[in-house]
Amino acid sequence: MSAMSNKLRSKLSLPVIISIILHGILIIVLGYQFIPDDNGENYGSINGNSIDAIMIDPSVMTEQYQRQLQAQVNQEKANQQRQEQLDKQVKELAEKAEAEKAAAEKAAAEKAAAEKAAAEKAAAEKAAAEKAAAEKAAAEKAAAEKAAAEKAAAEKAAAEKAAAEKAAAEKAAAEKAAAEKAAAEKAAAEKAAAEKAAAEKAAAEKAAAEKAAAAKRAEQAKKDKALNELLGGLTSGSPDVSGGAASRKGVSDGELNKYRSLVQNAISNKFINPQNLYRGKTCTLQIQIAPDGLLLNVTSKGGDADLCREALAATKLAVIPKPSSKLYNEVKTMTIDFQPK
């Protein structure tokens, strides 16, 4: 600030010096014009014009000089005042510049702070937006994973349910089949038991009937014996080779086979074959009957043991048809190869 003030003072003092020099030159010129030359040609004339004689009073010159001096002093004072005003203005300008600088610095600081705050706000908003986007993406991913897991769980549950239902259905079907089989076996057992009870009852009744008919059989046997003796053994139950043709007199193989088939059907009607247990098996039965078809005796002569056991029981329950009189001697003791139907 002092350098600027000195510069302004140097600039202001130069005009004052020039003014003093000019005033001095002017005084010299004016004084020279009033001095006559030797010839007196220009005396009292200016530029060739004649003027009246002028008397220069020294007091006037002195007064004029004093006035000029006073003017210079006044000019100096004015210049000093102007310099003071300039210094004041410079100071004010400097203060103003300082204030403007401070204001500019403050404005710059405020602007920087505002820009920093805006940048921080933008960064915070950007971070918040990125965080929100990341959270949204994570939430969407989690939701998608959850939906996929729920879908997989639902599909697994459905598959397990279907498998369980299938297994339950198969189990129910197996249990039903087992129950039906058990029921069938139970029914068969009950039927067998009932038939056995009926067979035992029938056997008892048959035994009673046999006992009641013992005399009749004995008498019939006597008659048969007498008839055999009369016919020369032609109707014997064990004919020899030479008498075989005579024993078949009046009886065809078709009639014999037909009767045997009737007897086998009678046995089959009382035979129980659960689930075709005895399919393909055979039992050879030897049966002795009375003329009225009453069973006298039955034995097994070979075959499947279980089948023979059941076949014997069924034969004892069977109602054997009465053979014709001409067939009786051929079938009173007969052998049947029994096969269950």
Side-chain angles (χ1 to χ4, degrees):
M1 181 176 177
S2 60
M4 186 179 294
S5 177
N6 293 330
K7 188 176 180 181
L8 290 173
R9 287 174 182 174
S10 63
K11 288 182 180 180
L12 291 173
S13 61
L14 183 59
V16 173
I17 294 170
I18 294 171
S19 177
I20 294 171
I21 292 171
L22 290 175
H23 280 83
I25 294 170
L26 179 60
I27 293 171
I28 292 170
V29 170
L30 289 175
Y32 181 77
Q33 288 179 351
F34 288 104
I35 298 175
D37 58 7
D38 295 337
N39 298 323
E41 294 178 353
N42 294 326
Y43 183 78
S45 64
I46 297 175
N47 294 330
N49 295 323
S50 121
I51 58 171
D52 293 333
I54 298 175
M55 292 295 291
I56 297 175
D57 190 355
S59 61
V60 173
M61 291 293 294
T62 302
E63 184 179 357
Q64 184 177 0
Y65 176 73
Q66 289 178 352
R67 281 199 301 269
Q68 288 179 354
L69 231 102
Q70 185 65 38
Q72 288 179 2
V73 171
N74 293 335
Q75 184 68 35
E76 286 289 338
K77 289 183 179 179
N79 290 336
Q80 187 177 0
Q81 290 178 355
R82 190 179 299 110
Q83 184 64 40
E84 290 176 356
Q85 289 179 355
L86 286 174
D87 290 340
K88 184 179 180 181
Q89 289 177 357
V90 168
K91 184 178 179 180
E92 290 177 353
L93 288 173
E95 291 176 353
K96 183 178 181 182
E98 289 291 333
E100 289 177 352
K101 181 180 178 182
E105 290 177 352
K106 181 179 179 181
E110 292 176 351
K111 181 180 180 182
E115 290 176 351
K116 182 179 179 182
E120 291 176 351
K121 182 179 180 182
E125 291 176 352
K126 182 179 178 182
E130 291 176 351
K131 182 180 179 181
E135 291 176 351
K136 182 180 179 182
E140 291 176 351
K141 182 179 179 182
E145 291 177 350
K146 182 180 179 182
E150 291 177 351
K151 182 180 179 181
E155 291 176 352
K156 182 179 179 182
E160 291 177 350
K161 182 179 179 182
E165 290 177 350
K166 182 179 179 181
E170 291 176 351
K171 181 179 179 182
E175 290 177 350
K176 182 179 179 182
E180 290 177 351
K181 180 180 179 181
E185 290 177 352
K186 181 179 179 181
E190 290 176 351
K191 181 179 179 182
E195 290 179 350
K196 183 178 180 181
E200 291 175 353
K201 181 179 179 182
E205 292 175 352
K206 183 177 180 181
E210 287 178 353
K211 185 177 180 181
K216 184 178 180 180
R217 289 198 298 273
E219 185 180 356
Q220 184 66 38
K222 290 179 180 180
K223 290 180 180 180
D224 291 340
K225 184 178 180 181
L227 182 60
N228 288 335
E229 291 176 354
L230 178 62
L231 296 176
L234 293 177
T235 59
S236 174
S238 57
D240 56 16
V241 176
S242 61
S247 67
R248 293 287 185 91
K249 183 179 181 180
V251 179
S252 64
D253 290 338
E255 290 176 321
L256 286 173
N257 292 333
K258 183 177 180 181
Y259 184 75
R260 288 175 184 276
S261 178
L262 292 174
V263 173
Q264 185 155 348
N265 288 338
I267 296 171
S268 295
N269 289 335
K270 299 298 182 179
F271 184 81
I272 299 174
N273 185 21
Q275 299 182 352
N276 297 322
L277 181 64
Y278 303 107
R279 181 185 293 275
K281 297 181 180 181
T282 303
C283 179
T284 301
L285 298 175
Q286 187 179 62
I287 301 173
Q288 294 178 359
I289 61 173
D292 60 352
L294 181 65
L295 178 65
L296 300 177
N297 190 24
V298 58
T299 58
S300 63
K301 295 298 182 180
D304 185 80
D306 294 334
L307 174 60
C308 288
R309 183 179 64 252
E310 298 297 330
L312 289 173
T315 302
K316 292 176 182 179
L317 295 175
V319 179
I320 299 174
K322 179 181 178 181
S324 63
S325 58
K326 65 179 181 178
L327 285 177
Y328 177 69
N329 287 329
E330 301 296 330
V331 298
K332 65 180 180 181
T333 301
M334 71 181 103
T335 301
I336 295 177
D337 292 330
F338 178 74
Q339 289 182 338
K341 296 181 181 180

